[in-house]
Amino acid sequence: MSEAPIPSYRVRSAANEGSSTRMFMMAGGLAAVVGVGALVGWGITRLTTHRPIPVIEPDSRPVKIRPDDRGGLRVPNQDEIIFERRGTTSGYEPSGRLAPAAEAPNLDALRAATAPPPAPPQVAEAAPP
């Protein structure tokens, strides 16, 4: 058997044809990782930069404003007689009594209810003969 001499250079085979494509894919992946890292770093610096604190100021408009019509609320049937007190000229006082007068306490009945019961009469016992 004769041995064939091996050349000092490598012969490209069909299996090694994709090595350049693989190298481009690795370089693209590395560039994507670096790009994403740069975006994350930029986002973090944007969140942590010292921005001025927003100042909330009060409203410069007046709190109370006089109404154009100073008549107030128009209540229906506000001129009815039930709202007037008999014998007065003012219409702002309530009429009559809506409830009966308050009861005056009967002090004698209260004292009798809370007094202790009278003591039973003591029967004198006769001495034995």
Side-chain angles (χ1 to χ4, degrees):
M1 282 207 233
S2 73
E3 293 191 26
I6 298 177
S8 62
Y9 61 89
R10 291 192 168 187
V11 177
R12 237 179 197 184
S13 67
N16 290 339
E17 287 296 322
S19 64
S20 62
T21 306
R22 192 176 325 146
M23 186 171 26
F24 282 123
M25 291 178 81
M26 289 178 63
L30 181 63
V33 168
V34 169
V36 167
L39 284 174
V40 167
W42 177 77
I44 289 174
T45 58
R46 291 283 297 165
L47 290 176
T48 59
T49 57
H50 297 291
R51 287 183 258 164
I53 298 172
V55 178
I56 300 172
E57 296 179 356
D59 195 3
S60 61
R61 297 178 295 181
V63 177
K64 294 183 179 181
I65 301 172
R66 288 188 186 269
D68 296 333
D69 180 20
R70 297 180 62 171
L73 178 66
R74 304 280 189 247
V75 179
N77 303 322
Q78 66 183 357
D79 296 328
E80 293 291 323
I81 294 177
I82 193 170
F83 296 119
E84 296 177 5
R85 178 176 276 185
R86 292 182 189 154
T88 62
T89 58
S90 172
Y92 295 108
E93 296 175 339
S95 67
R97 290 203 180 268
L98 299 177
E103 268 186 52
N106 187 352
L107 296 178
D108 293 330
L110 286 173
R111 286 186 188 120
T114 59
Q122 293 186 359
V123 179
E125 292 184 23

